[in-house]
Amino acid sequence: MTTPGLTSDIDRSTAESDQLPWRALLTLGAATMVMVSGEMLPTAVLTTMGAGLGVSEARTGLLVSLWALVVVVASFPLVRLTRTWDRTAVITGSMLAFAVSAALTALAPTYAVALASRVIGAAAVGLLWSTVNAHVADLVPDRQLARATAIVLGGGTLGLVVGTPVGRFVADLAGWRASFWLLAGLGLVVAWLVPRVTSSQASSTDRDEAPGQARGTGQVGSMVAVAALVALVLVGHFGAYTYITVLGEQPATLVAGGIGTLLLVFGLSSAAGVALAARIGHRTSSALVVGSAATAAALLSLVVAQGHAVGGLAVVVAWGLASGTVAPLAQTLILRLAGPEHRSLAGALIPVLFNAGIAAGAALASAVVSHSGVDALPVPAAVLVAAAAAGLLVVSLNNSQKLAQSG
């Protein structure tokens, strides 16, 4: 029989362990918001920035596509270089480099200077994403990893939904350079607030294992397979999303503000998907399969809904909700499969493959549209995502079988 005093101590200990480190997670969420806002800001000030630097809109747009390329190329070498450094110092230093990059862009007298400053910022963000991913896993026990990841990635969603429009608003009031000065200031604030993980926190999260999976035992093969398959999901998803302003013309007629409001609706639906992913818990693997399959179904439904405004609006909402679950679920699963000993590798793998998937999606979609028009895009996009969902199902079943045999 358990004594009342011992029972209350156990209950108190469990309650304390279930408390999320909100200040730390919100600060890291703010970091992802600033990072995503920085990546996408040139798209919000495309015309005025191009005019100010004396280049075309197309060349200004390269400041975004080059960013993704630098993240892909720089992440692994930088993670390897800093693998023995304290993660708090890495995040703080990278955030400071990001702030300097934004300030240099604000000061840039020529396009070449702006391009060089963006390269610095993208390299810093590649290291930031990689380190933040691993840092989140150090902050919380495994059972809370899905919630913690969703909170931090929710900042990235806010960067798209709120950060970019705010950047445009500031640019309209005070010029495009003011937007980058604001970005630099926010980077400095986040760098100052970055939380430190104590040795006791790290050891307690390592001891708190998920049911059926020891955090100390990484599954590198499954981790790489999941990351590659999620990248394929993103190829299909972002390939279609690149042309959402065309695919969404019909449903946009139903909402005040047209395409701008439709993009906001999609962003809010994605945010709801992130929140939904936070409640999945340990069912991450199967939930990722469902989220990917639902994304494929929504993409395929665009074919039917293109001529029907009401149906199209419903499809856009469903698409945003389903695709919004994919990134947090994927990141949670990848970090779990990696285990503590491969966490830095997993942290670097996530932004590399995700950015590669985004870039490849945009390029392949452009080829499809050039050959067959925008109306032909949803079917191949849906097929790619469906194939990835099938692959994720195979990996999930294989891992379940291994756990059953080991148990």
Side-chain angles (χ1 to χ4, degrees):
M1 180 179 295
T2 305
T3 64
L6 181 58
T7 301
S8 63
D9 289 341
I10 293 174
D11 291 342
R12 188 181 306 110
S13 175
T14 301
E16 289 175 355
S17 67
D18 284 339
Q19 290 295 317
L20 286 170
W22 282 103
R23 178 182 174 274
L25 294 177
L26 291 175
T27 301
L28 294 177
T32 64
M33 183 185 73
V34 172
M35 285 190 281
V36 171
S37 298
E39 179 177 2
M40 302 307 298
L41 185 54
T43 65
V45 297
L46 198 66
T47 302
T48 56
M49 188 176 186
L53 295 173
V55 297
S56 65
E57 292 183 2
R59 292 189 69 189
T60 308
L62 286 176
L63 296 175
V64 176
S65 55
L66 177 69
W67 184 285
L69 177 62
V70 173
V71 170
V72 171
V73 172
S75 294
F76 277 119
L78 289 175
V79 166
R80 184 173 179 80
L81 179 67
T82 60
R83 67 186 183 278
T84 60
W85 299 6
D86 175 72
R87 286 195 180 119
T88 305
V90 173
I91 295 174
T92 301
S94 300
M95 205 73 221
L96 289 173
F98 173 89
V100 169
S101 165
L104 289 174
T105 305
L107 292 168
T110 65
Y111 178 77
V113 174
L115 195 67
S117 68
R118 293 284 291 177
V119 169
I120 295 171
V125 163
L127 182 57
L128 267 168
W129 272 118
S130 304
T131 312
V132 164
N133 291 335
H135 200 53
V136 172
D138 282 343
L139 285 168
V140 297
D142 188 273
R143 66 178 179 276
Q144 293 180 331
L145 185 56
R147 288 186 66 197
T149 299
I151 290 167
V152 173
L153 288 185
T157 303
L158 284 177
L160 286 173
V161 177
V162 177
T164 306
V166 168
R168 177 56 184 265
F169 177 73
V170 172
D172 288 342
L173 286 178
W176 67 269
R177 295 180 189 274
S179 298
F180 282 94
W181 280 120
L182 175 62
L183 192 67
L186 291 173
L188 290 175
V189 171
V190 172
W192 179 64
L193 292 173
V194 171
R196 176 172 295 278
V197 177
T198 64
S199 57
S200 60
Q201 281 178 302
S203 62
S204 66
T205 56
D206 288 344
R207 286 194 303 267
D208 194 350
E209 300 171 357
Q213 179 183 330
R215 285 178 67 116
T217 306
Q219 302 176 50
V220 178
S222 295
M223 176 191 73
V224 173
V226 169
L229 289 166
V230 171
L232 187 59
V233 172
L234 296 178
V235 170
H237 164 60
F238 276 100
Y241 183 76
T242 302
Y243 293 90
I244 189 174
T245 56
V246 181
L247 293 170
E249 282 180 345
Q250 282 292 325
T253 61
L254 293 178
V255 292
I259 289 294
T261 303
L262 186 73
L263 292 174
L264 178 60
V265 168
F266 185 92
L268 293 174
S269 299
S270 297
V274 172
L276 178 62
R279 305 189 66 84
I280 299 300
H282 297 303
R283 297 166 291 176
T284 309
S285 183
S286 57
L288 180 58
V289 174
V290 173
S292 301
T295 301
L299 288 170
L300 190 60
S301 298
L302 285 172
V303 176
V304 180
Q306 281 181 33
H308 303 82
V310 175
L313 184 60
V315 168
V316 167
V317 171
W319 180 16
L321 182 66
S323 62
T325 66
V326 171
L329 290 172
Q331 185 165 312
T332 301
L333 182 59
I334 290 168
L335 288 169
R336 278 181 175 158
L337 291 172
E341 71 274 22
H342 298 298
R343 195 171 289 156
S344 294
L345 171 63
L349 195 63
I350 290 168
V352 167
L353 287 181
F354 283 22
N355 277 276
I358 292 169
L364 290 175
S366 178
V368 171
V369 171
S370 298
H371 185 268
S372 305
V374 175
D375 290 346
L377 189 57
V379 172
V383 169
L384 282 177
V385 177
L392 288 168
L393 177 61
V394 171
V395 173
S396 178
L397 292 174
N398 185 50
N399 285 338
S400 298
Q401 186 178 18
K402 287 180 180 178
L403 287 174
Q405 289 173 350
S406 63

